[in-house]
Amino acid sequence: MSNHNLFCALRAAFPADLNAVAVETDDGLQYSWQDLDRATAMVANLLASLELPEGSRIAVQVEKSVEAMVLYLATLRAGCVFLPLNTAYQSAEIDYFIGNAEPAVVVCSSANFGWVSKIAFKAGTRHVFTLNDDRTGSLLDRAAHHSDQNTPVERQADDLAAILYTSGTTGRSKGAMLTHGNLLSNALTLKDYWGWKKNDVLIHALPIFHVHGLFVAIHGALINGSKMVWMSRFEPKRVIARMADATVFMGVPTLYVRMLAEPSLTQQAAKNMRLFIAGSAPLLIETFSEWQTRTGHTILERYGMSETAMLTSNPYRADTRYAKQSERRGGTVGFPLPGVRLRVRGDDGKDMAVGEIGGIQVQGPNVFKGYWRMPEKTAEEFTSDGFFKTGDVGKVDERGYVTIVGRSKDLIISGGYNVYPAEIEGYINDMPGVAESAVVGVSHPDFGEVGVAVVILKSGSALQADAVLGELKAKLANFKIPKKCFVVPELPRNTMGKVQKNLLREQYKGLFTA
Ligand code: MCA
Ligand code: AMP
């Protein structure tokens, strides 16, 4: 294939019968493969008509819809760079992303057009379109005037396809630059490793602004020519009901926890299903085991990152060619995927022995090109021999299974979303009356982990914990808001004066699970 545009590979996998159903929404709309082809052509032609400079970013903050997926595919088709933004982000967050990425085009909902366009025009964006989840908005209105035929723009494997913002270890969010080659190699590896079959049907119930829902799920279905059952939001009862005519499901652990709370989840309900995949956050062994008992299926857990897409996976096949063992082992994230090199290193840079704990480092065709306009940060995160330091801490056992035991990065993963304590602490510390704060993650039965804020006031301040949370709610995405806040006289410190977050975690660990 001479054109390495990811869209070409996805399009080439469409089934011969283009009139077959490609996507069926939970409210009964059906889109054929032909519809996807034509709609992506029209939106790609609209983007082409704007005569954007090479490498233009298309920043998108819209509710989940099939048209939002079409916009992603059209962006690839037009050779532009897709920049998805969580719909929970508020103006300060959007201001940073747009200011940093300088997108040529911004697409938002009509409801947010006022404030989003103001931010975008200030940052030099020339075009702001709207797209709503009821298929209205200026993007589709304008695209309707364009041809439904389009030749995908030529891209090299090393050209950028998407930028995903992620915070990594410290400081402001960094844009992870993923190439057409990164994404295609991962999609092809997973197609084989997870044994996708021609007649698979994927239940798509994840948001489409992060790696899991956008790449793993959408590419997985498209590169296999498989139909998707498209849910605009996750509702456990509806997912369980649709299992009767589906075969594959992907979810973060919270989705599995919530389905387990439904009496309708039974072996009978899941009998048509072939594969349940979990990732983005640690899957508790209790959830893994309970799922086995209730449905007869063994969840396949895998591990990945925004910077790398998928890195490891438990095996799918009983007679797998790749893994020495065929068992899906709860509590592990399986084996490095074919083509991925994974090693565990100590602080001294030496390889750890089997079973010993250290920092996980990876290399492979899926590993990103670097952080957008941050060459120093990029250099810091790679070793001199080209391995990416994941910030995850883990071990590899004698059979090759990888287990993640923690993170060296100060990060809370809540319901599959990343929350950076440093960001929340920064906002709290800026509040009048606050002297200092610490945000730590504690166990939570639904979200796996949630943030708890511990605040020290300046003398004379009467700020209440609820007011701290109220102020945060007005400024930050809702999933980042700590679920509890405590005003205390002092924070535990070590002899160097550093706040001992481990003691705070210990102190509050039973807050939601006791
Ligand atoms: C919602 N809330 C949350 C979260 N979601 N709080 C903490 N963590 C969350 N994840 C807030 C809401 O704003 C609300 O606050 C309160 O919690 C209850 O919300 P609820 O109605 O229960 O939420 P929901 O709308 O049902 O959403 C829960 C969800 C959602 C379905 C689990 O968070 C979700 O779709 N998570 C998946 C994230 C994901 O796709 N991650 C993949 C990242 P209030 O009452 O104050 O308004 S990709 C990745 O990590 C890597 C690469 C990988 O390996 O995949
Ligand atoms: P993100 O930056 O949103 O892509 O999140 C990536 C992080 O999610 C990884 O560095 C891990 O810490 C975490 N993660 C993803 N999958 C798993 C998993 N199966 N088990 C534990 N942690 C995971």
Side-chain angles (χ1 to χ4, degrees), residues 41 57 136 170 221 230 291 332 334 349 436:
R57 278 79 57 210
T136 60
T170 50
W230 188 263
W291 193 267
T332 82
E436 203 186 356

PDB file of all heavy atoms in Angstrom, residues 41 57 136 170 221 230 291 332 334 349 436:
ATOM      1  N   ALA A  41     -16.473  11.185   3.178  1.00  0.00           N
ATOM      2  CA  ALA A  41     -15.998  11.894   1.976  1.00  0.00           C
ATOM      3  C   ALA A  41     -16.475  13.343   2.002  1.00  0.00           C
ATOM      4  O   ALA A  41     -15.704  14.271   1.729  1.00  0.00           O
ATOM      5  CB  ALA A  41     -16.504  11.183   0.721  1.00  0.00           C
ATOM      6  N   ARG A  57      -4.487  20.924  12.899  1.00  0.00           N
ATOM      7  CA  ARG A  57      -5.218  20.202  13.941  1.00  0.00           C
ATOM      8  C   ARG A  57      -6.705  20.540  13.874  1.00  0.00           C
ATOM      9  O   ARG A  57      -7.070  21.720  13.690  1.00  0.00           O
ATOM     10  CB  ARG A  57      -4.694  20.578  15.331  1.00  0.00           C
ATOM     11  CG  ARG A  57      -3.454  19.842  15.767  1.00  0.00           C
ATOM     12  CD  ARG A  57      -2.176  20.386  15.170  1.00  0.00           C
ATOM     13  NE  ARG A  57      -1.957  21.786  15.461  1.00  0.00           N
ATOM     14  CZ  ARG A  57      -1.300  22.632  14.661  1.00  0.00           C
ATOM     15  NH1 ARG A  57      -0.810  22.223  13.499  1.00  0.00           N
ATOM     16  NH2 ARG A  57      -1.132  23.903  14.990  1.00  0.00           N
ATOM     17  N   THR A 136     -27.590  17.819  13.920  1.00  0.00           N
ATOM     18  CA  THR A 136     -27.699  19.198  13.439  1.00  0.00           C
ATOM     19  C   THR A 136     -26.361  19.901  13.654  1.00  0.00           C
ATOM     20  O   THR A 136     -25.450  19.348  14.279  1.00  0.00           O
ATOM     21  CB  THR A 136     -28.793  19.967  14.204  1.00  0.00           C
ATOM     22  OG1 THR A 136     -28.432  19.969  15.600  1.00  0.00           O
ATOM     23  CG2 THR A 136     -30.158  19.332  14.027  1.00  0.00           C
ATOM     24  N   THR A 170       4.218  15.341  35.600  1.00  0.00           N
ATOM     25  CA  THR A 170       4.072  16.636  36.283  1.00  0.00           C
ATOM     26  C   THR A 170       3.615  17.702  35.300  1.00  0.00           C
ATOM     27  O   THR A 170       3.659  17.522  34.099  1.00  0.00           O
ATOM     28  CB  THR A 170       5.433  17.114  36.833  1.00  0.00           C
ATOM     29  OG1 THR A 170       6.375  17.023  35.774  1.00  0.00           O
ATOM     30  CG2 THR A 170       5.877  16.330  38.036  1.00  0.00           C
ATOM     31  N   ALA A 221     -13.365  -2.573  15.325  1.00  0.00           N
ATOM     32  CA  ALA A 221     -14.528  -2.979  14.525  1.00  0.00           C
ATOM     33  C   ALA A 221     -14.295  -2.690  13.038  1.00  0.00           C
ATOM     34  O   ALA A 221     -14.534  -3.551  12.190  1.00  0.00           O
ATOM     35  CB  ALA A 221     -15.782  -2.260  15.018  1.00  0.00           C
ATOM     36  N   TRP A 230     -24.105   1.022  18.670  1.00  0.00           N
ATOM     37  CA  TRP A 230     -23.538   2.301  19.114  1.00  0.00           C
ATOM     38  C   TRP A 230     -24.392   2.892  20.224  1.00  0.00           C
ATOM     39  O   TRP A 230     -25.557   3.220  19.998  1.00  0.00           O
ATOM     40  CB  TRP A 230     -23.511   3.232  17.903  1.00  0.00           C
ATOM     41  CG  TRP A 230     -22.800   4.521  18.087  1.00  0.00           C
ATOM     42  CD1 TRP A 230     -23.360   5.724  18.388  1.00  0.00           C
ATOM     43  CD2 TRP A 230     -21.398   4.752  17.933  1.00  0.00           C
ATOM     44  NE1 TRP A 230     -22.379   6.688  18.444  1.00  0.00           N
ATOM     45  CE2 TRP A 230     -21.162   6.116  18.162  1.00  0.00           C
ATOM     46  CE3 TRP A 230     -20.305   3.926  17.629  1.00  0.00           C
ATOM     47  CZ2 TRP A 230     -19.897   6.684  18.100  1.00  0.00           C
ATOM     48  CZ3 TRP A 230     -19.047   4.501  17.550  1.00  0.00           C
ATOM     49  CH2 TRP A 230     -18.851   5.857  17.789  1.00  0.00           C
ATOM     50  N   TRP A 291     -17.469 -11.917  37.517  1.00  0.00           N
ATOM     51  CA  TRP A 291     -17.936 -11.928  36.123  1.00  0.00           C
ATOM     52  C   TRP A 291     -17.932 -13.358  35.571  1.00  0.00           C
ATOM     53  O   TRP A 291     -18.851 -13.781  34.878  1.00  0.00           O
ATOM     54  CB  TRP A 291     -17.042 -11.006  35.265  1.00  0.00           C
ATOM     55  CG  TRP A 291     -17.636 -10.734  33.926  1.00  0.00           C
ATOM     56  CD1 TRP A 291     -17.419 -11.422  32.772  1.00  0.00           C
ATOM     57  CD2 TRP A 291     -18.592  -9.714  33.598  1.00  0.00           C
ATOM     58  NE1 TRP A 291     -18.167 -10.904  31.752  1.00  0.00           N
ATOM     59  CE2 TRP A 291     -18.889  -9.852  32.230  1.00  0.00           C
ATOM     60  CE3 TRP A 291     -19.216  -8.690  34.326  1.00  0.00           C
ATOM     61  CZ2 TRP A 291     -19.790  -9.006  31.572  1.00  0.00           C
ATOM     62  CZ3 TRP A 291     -20.105  -7.848  33.662  1.00  0.00           C
ATOM     63  CH2 TRP A 291     -20.387  -8.019  32.311  1.00  0.00           C
ATOM     64  N   THR A 332      -3.500  -9.710  36.244  1.00  0.00           N
ATOM     65  CA  THR A 332      -2.366  -9.421  35.357  1.00  0.00           C
ATOM     66  C   THR A 332      -2.907  -8.734  34.095  1.00  0.00           C
ATOM     67  O   THR A 332      -4.101  -8.791  33.809  1.00  0.00           O
ATOM     68  CB  THR A 332      -1.617 -10.689  34.905  1.00  0.00           C
ATOM     69  OG1 THR A 332      -2.325 -11.280  33.796  1.00  0.00           O
ATOM     70  CG2 THR A 332      -1.494 -11.718  36.025  1.00  0.00           C
ATOM     71  N   GLY A 334      -1.436  -9.538  31.197  1.00  0.00           N
ATOM     72  CA  GLY A 334      -1.048 -10.452  30.123  1.00  0.00           C
ATOM     73  C   GLY A 334       0.358 -10.222  29.610  1.00  0.00           C
ATOM     74  O   GLY A 334       1.248  -9.820  30.375  1.00  0.00           O
ATOM     75  N   GLY A 349      18.653   1.837  36.568  1.00  0.00           N
ATOM     76  CA  GLY A 349      18.702   1.589  35.125  1.00  0.00           C
ATOM     77  C   GLY A 349      18.993   0.140  34.765  1.00  0.00           C
ATOM     78  O   GLY A 349      19.095  -0.208  33.596  1.00  0.00           O
ATOM     79  N   GLU A 436      -2.423  25.548  51.745  1.00  0.00           N
ATOM     80  CA  GLU A 436      -1.805  24.394  51.091  1.00  0.00           C
ATOM     81  C   GLU A 436      -2.837  23.285  50.945  1.00  0.00           C
ATOM     82  O   GLU A 436      -3.824  23.255  51.697  1.00  0.00           O
ATOM     83  CB  GLU A 436      -0.679  23.898  51.994  1.00  0.00           C
ATOM     84  CG  GLU A 436       0.358  23.117  51.299  1.00  0.00           C
ATOM     85  CD  GLU A 436       1.360  22.536  52.290  1.00  0.00           C
ATOM     86  OE1 GLU A 436       1.269  22.827  53.505  1.00  0.00           O
ATOM     87  OE2 GLU A 436       2.189  21.766  51.835  1.00  0.00           O
TER      88      GLU A 436
END
